[in-house]
Amino acid sequence: MYKTIITRKKILSATGFGVGALLFTGCQGLTESTAQPSRSSILAPPLFSATRGIMPLEDKSRQKWDNAVIADLDQDGHQDVILTEHGYRVRVFWNEGGTFSGPQDITVGDLHGVAVSDFDRDGRADIIIAQGGGDGNNPRRPLWFQVNKDRTVDGGKPFEYFEPGRGRAVKLLDADQDGAADLLLTGFPLPSQKAGANHFYENTGAGGFEFVGNLPQAKWLGYRALVTDFNSDHDPDFILYGGDNMVAVAGGEGMAFANVNAKVFGDLADTSHISSISEIDFDNDGDFDLFITRAEAQFEQETYYDEENQRFAFLVFRQDYLFEDLEVEGDLQVDNLQVSYPHFDVFVGAEKRKLEFKGDRHGGKDFVLRQQDARGWPSGPLKAGLYIGYLGDGMWRVGGQSHSRTAAVFSNVVSRPKTVPQQPLPVRLLENRDGVFADVTARLGIAIDEQTTSAAVGDFDNNGWADLVVLRYGDMASQNEHIVYLNQGGKAFVRAANHGFFSPELGATGGSVEAFDFNLDGAVDLLFSNERGKWHLLENNSARQAAQGNFVIVHAGSSPSGQGLAESAEVTLKACGSTYRRKVGATSAAFAQGMNTSLHIGLGACQKVDGARIRWSNGESERFAVETLNTQVSAGRARQY
């Protein structure tokens, strides 16, 4: 049993809310920029604030790939963090009990989905990393690493017997309920993969997998995946999504699966451009509802203009491009220039002088071009690269040719360049009604009529109900404020007015967000990224609020026999008429699978847990006691995978 880590006096108003009630506004129809918070909410600290000196994150904008992966890799009781910089590296930050060590690189290269498990049952955490396929020209296989308790990392060889491809998602699930993690891999299909690139492998023990077969394909870019249990039968199901639709696949006997799309989703199956799906039991009825964010893939040209701050931003991909008649006051300030392999080069002026940059080529670059150093525009066709020229009278021209993505922000642009607005792609909240989903977005008061890239679920104010944080796609020319919805007793969501969840960097769009309590103080924190931006760790300030509700943190371990591993554990608490269901590894990540074994459950004003049970994928279960609230407790065999 863990010791109590935090005690505080309970000061609850008659309505059940204290200081925490000041963190939201009832103006559901207003955006955060137009809502007028009360004077008391202005004086209250924000729900989240940026940490300082906690996690040594790099102060450099880069391309990203999916959510942070949360797992206790060294088995010391604190959740560590794996971060992926797309096309560059995967690295781990070790949790030292509420602060993090400097990063340790695991591997470098074109890296995609990351999953954590102990699939070979040797007591060490295994990491499987999908590799990209070089735009189809260099198909590759996933890599396998093993993490020792002393934080050394072994391995790194590919699964040679797997079919090579353009890897995307790596997900782990116990399909046949034998306690061992089986493997779901998705990919961008090669021309030779007529049956698709979504493959399923059975765990044969001792570090081996055996190919079972191809899984259903969602249309177009349907290689994102969620492992869930939508029919609550304790046999894992999954949903494939990302392009023109989503496909629900139900687990059957043994390794069998069935496409149950028509029954589970009906017309909702045609929901397109899904960027993430989060499990959320918003009404505490013990089943998993779904929250869906939506955004277009970054395949088309994007342009933005911030008139107030006179900033122009653009993103181009696999096309010739030309931005003419950019009137700039003074010299040209370039922020967060991002150019990718193989077209890294930047040329200026009529003579096409190549700019030389210090440091690695993978991150964002800030610089100033003087008018006299960039005079003229080159004649003839432009080869691969980015070209910038000063034409005189304050006018600049930018253009080029790129097979990869190129993006930048220009400041002091006094003319108003043409821009194309994004199409609205509203979010959706789907209620689980006995394994069939219904859209309840409007009924629950959620109104986000724009593109969003990721969401995370957690009881951020400890009132006993699961809340939502939502990452906006945003505007590359501006800083972006994101969205927090607080759950009002399972009946409605109210948009928070004082949350502190925003992205300060320019030239970036929304990336991913993950929720976890990094310092185990009972308040769920956030770790989020921006595409072509930075990672940010936000601390939840509600632990400092005297009126915040009760909670318990359950550390999930292995089953009594040792056959049911912690990574497959699911905890159910019953308290004050509500059922709280939490699952190890739950995440909105489209490509990754974490293994957060520290499960946070907010209880609000409830003073007593009526019953608690942990269940593993092989069917073993046991009851455990929660005798004191605002504590950490262990369930199962602690400190073992």
Side-chain angles (χ1 to χ4, degrees):
M1 187 75 68
Y2 288 81
K3 295 181 179 179
T4 301
I5 57 167
I6 180 170
T7 59
R8 51 178 176 254
K9 186 177 180 181
K10 307 298 183 293
I11 308 174
L12 295 173
S13 70
T15 62
F17 295 99
V19 176
L22 303 178
L23 296 173
F24 60 82
T25 174
C27 304
Q28 295 181 35
L30 300 177
T31 65
E32 293 179 278
S33 60
T34 58
Q36 298 298 315
S38 65
R39 180 176 180 274
S40 57
S41 69
I42 294 173
L43 296 176
L47 181 57
F48 299 103
S49 59
T51 58
R52 297 288 185 269
I54 299 296
M55 192 174 191
L57 296 165
E58 183 183 32
D59 187 23
K60 192 175 185 66
S61 294
R62 296 187 186 276
Q63 295 181 36
K64 301 292 185 284
W65 186 276
D66 209 22
N67 296 33
V69 174
I70 310 300
D72 182 7
L73 298 170
D74 56 3
Q75 305 180 55
D76 67 351
H78 303 283
Q79 301 300 318
D80 308 305
V81 173
I82 301 174
L83 302 181
T84 302
E85 312 283 359
H86 185 208
Y88 189 38
R89 63 191 173 195
V90 171
R91 50 185 12 190
V92 60
F93 292 78
W94 303 104
N95 191 332
E96 307 278 6
T99 60
F100 291 85
S101 69
Q104 176 181 336
D105 286 355
I106 297 175
T107 188
V108 298
D110 183 14
L111 306 162
H112 293 172
V114 178
V116 178
S117 170
D118 179 19
F119 66 82
D120 64 349
R121 297 176 178 273
D122 69 349
R124 297 183 293 174
D126 301 305
I127 301 175
I128 302 175
I129 304 176
Q131 297 190 92
D135 210 18
N137 298 315
N138 183 26
R140 290 181 292 176
R141 300 171 174 87
L143 302 173
W144 173 22
F145 298 86
Q146 295 179 296
V147 183
N148 303 303
K149 292 183 181 180
D150 64 358
R151 299 181 176 178
T152 57
V153 180
D154 299 331
K157 293 184 178 179
F159 291 95
E160 294 293 355
Y161 53 96
F162 282 24
E163 181 179 345
R166 301 175 66 181
R168 291 298 185 267
V170 183
K171 300 283 183 172
L172 295 152
L173 61 156
D174 184 4
D176 52 1
Q177 288 90 60
D178 65 353
D182 307 302
L183 181 62
L184 165 63
L185 298 176
T186 72
F188 194 115
L190 299 169
S192 60
Q193 293 175 313
K194 303 300 183 184
N198 295 341
H199 298 160
F200 198 71
Y201 293 84
E202 181 179 5
N203 189 331
T204 60
F209 291 99
E210 182 177 324
F211 179 67
V212 175
N214 288 76
L215 295 170
Q217 294 284 122
K219 298 177 183 177
W220 189 39
L221 301 177
Y223 43 59
R224 298 170 185 254
L226 170 73
V227 177
T228 185
D229 181 15
F230 46 69
N231 52 21
S232 298
D233 64 354
H234 299 292
D235 189 355
D237 313 309
F238 55 86
I239 300 169
L240 299 168
Y241 64 94
D244 289 338
N245 71 337
M246 55 181 171
V247 175
V249 183
E253 185 176 354
M255 303 297 294
F257 288 94
N259 187 333
V260 293
N261 217 31
K263 175 184 177 182
V264 171
F265 286 127
D267 293 341
L268 292 171
D270 292 327
T271 304
S272 64
H273 298 96
I274 298 175
S275 50
S276 76
I277 303 179
S278 305
E279 292 176 324
I280 175 172
D281 184 6
F282 72 84
D283 48 5
N284 288 349
D285 65 353
D287 59 19
F288 290 125
D289 312 298
L290 301 176
F291 182 75
I292 294 173
T293 63
R294 303 170 66 202
E296 293 179 302
Q298 296 186 333
F299 292 157
E300 303 296 330
Q301 183 181 113
E302 299 178 23
T303 49
Y304 304 84
Y305 184 65
D306 181 340
E307 188 167 9
E308 179 181 357
N309 295 292
Q310 298 182 327
R311 291 191 291 250
F312 172 68
F314 71 92
L315 168 69
V316 293
F317 179 53
R318 292 184 176 176
Q319 64 181 144
D320 296 346
Y321 57 95
L322 187 65
F323 303 114
E324 296 188 273
D325 302 326
L326 296 177
E327 185 178 356
V328 177
E329 185 177 295
D331 297 326
L332 183 66
Q333 171 69 48
V334 182
D335 292 300
N336 198 12
L337 170 67
Q338 299 259 358
V339 285
S340 306
Y341 176 84
H343 300 152
F344 286 113
D345 294 331
V346 180
F347 305 94
V348 297
E351 298 179 354
K352 296 187 289 188
R353 178 173 60 87
K354 182 179 175 180
L355 293 183
E356 300 292 341
F357 298 102
K358 295 181 179 180
D360 67 80
R361 290 180 156 192
H362 296 273
K365 303 166 184 65
D366 303 331
F367 59 95
V368 175
L369 275 180
R370 299 185 303 173
Q371 295 175 349
Q372 60 266 35
D373 293 334
R375 292 187 181 276
W377 186 254
S379 59
L382 303 180
K383 296 182 180 180
L386 169 68
Y387 296 79
I388 303 174
Y390 177 63
L391 309 181
D393 297 325
M395 305 303 293
W396 293 74
R397 180 180 296 167
V398 177
Q401 179 189 78
S402 179
H403 183 70
S404 54
R405 288 180 178 84
T406 299
V409 181
F410 300 142
S411 296
N412 305 320
V413 179
V414 296
S415 59
R416 199 187 197 296
K418 294 180 180 179
T419 58
V420 178
Q422 296 177 359
Q423 68 162 317
L425 291 172
V427 302
R428 285 182 171 172
L429 176 63
L430 307 184
E431 182 180 7
N432 189 334
R433 298 174 179 173
D434 296 323
V436 177
F437 290 98
D439 191 340
V440 295
T441 315
R443 179 169 68 82
L444 271 293
I446 294 177
I448 304 176
D449 194 20
E450 61 180 292
Q451 295 190 26
T452 52
T453 62
S454 184
V457 175
D459 188 355
F460 300 111
D461 55 1
N462 278 338
N463 74 338
W465 302 88
D467 308 309
L468 285 162
V469 295
V470 186
L471 205 62
R472 299 172 59 219
Y473 188 92
D475 181 338
M476 288 176 57
S478 305
Q479 297 181 342
N480 292 286
E481 190 169 10
H482 300 296
I483 299 167
V484 176
Y485 272 108
L486 298 178
N487 190 336
Q488 306 303 293
K491 304 298 184 183
F493 284 86
V494 173
R495 195 158 170 169
N498 184 25
H499 55 67
F501 179 28
F502 72 96
S503 299
E505 61 261 43
L506 301 175
T509 53
S512 66
V513 59
E514 194 71 29
F516 75 121
D517 184 359
F518 73 84
N519 54 8
L520 298 178
D521 66 350
V524 180
D525 311 298
L526 299 179
L527 179 56
F528 77 97
S529 71
N530 295 299
E531 174 56 22
R532 296 181 309 280
K534 302 172 184 177
W535 291 98
H536 301 270
L537 179 64
L538 303 185
E539 185 172 8
N540 187 329
N541 294 314
S542 65
R544 303 183 182 92
Q545 303 298 321
Q548 290 301 299
N550 295 310
F551 68 89
V552 63
I553 298 172
V554 180
H555 293 275
S558 301
S559 70
S561 72
Q563 296 302 304
L565 303 185
E567 63 211 52
S568 71
E570 184 176 290
V571 168
T572 302
L573 261 62
K574 292 185 180 295
C576 298
S578 288
T579 299
Y580 299 95
R581 188 179 174 192
R582 300 290 186 267
K583 188 173 68 176
V584 170
T587 177
S588 67
F591 305 104
Q593 185 73 49
M595 196 171 65
N596 184 354
T597 51
S598 299
L599 304 178
H600 173 276
I601 301 170
L603 296 170
C606 187
Q607 299 290 331
K608 181 177 181 294
V609 172
D610 300 315
R613 178 182 291 274
I614 182 170
R615 188 186 191 280
W616 294 270
S617 64
N618 66 339
E620 288 185 82
S621 68
E622 68 176 14
R623 297 185 182 277
F624 62 96
V626 181
E627 298 173 348
T628 307
L629 301 185
N630 305 322
T631 60
Q632 304 175 58
V633 301
S634 61
R637 294 170 55 180
R639 299 289 197 272
Q640 289 184 324
Y641 285 103

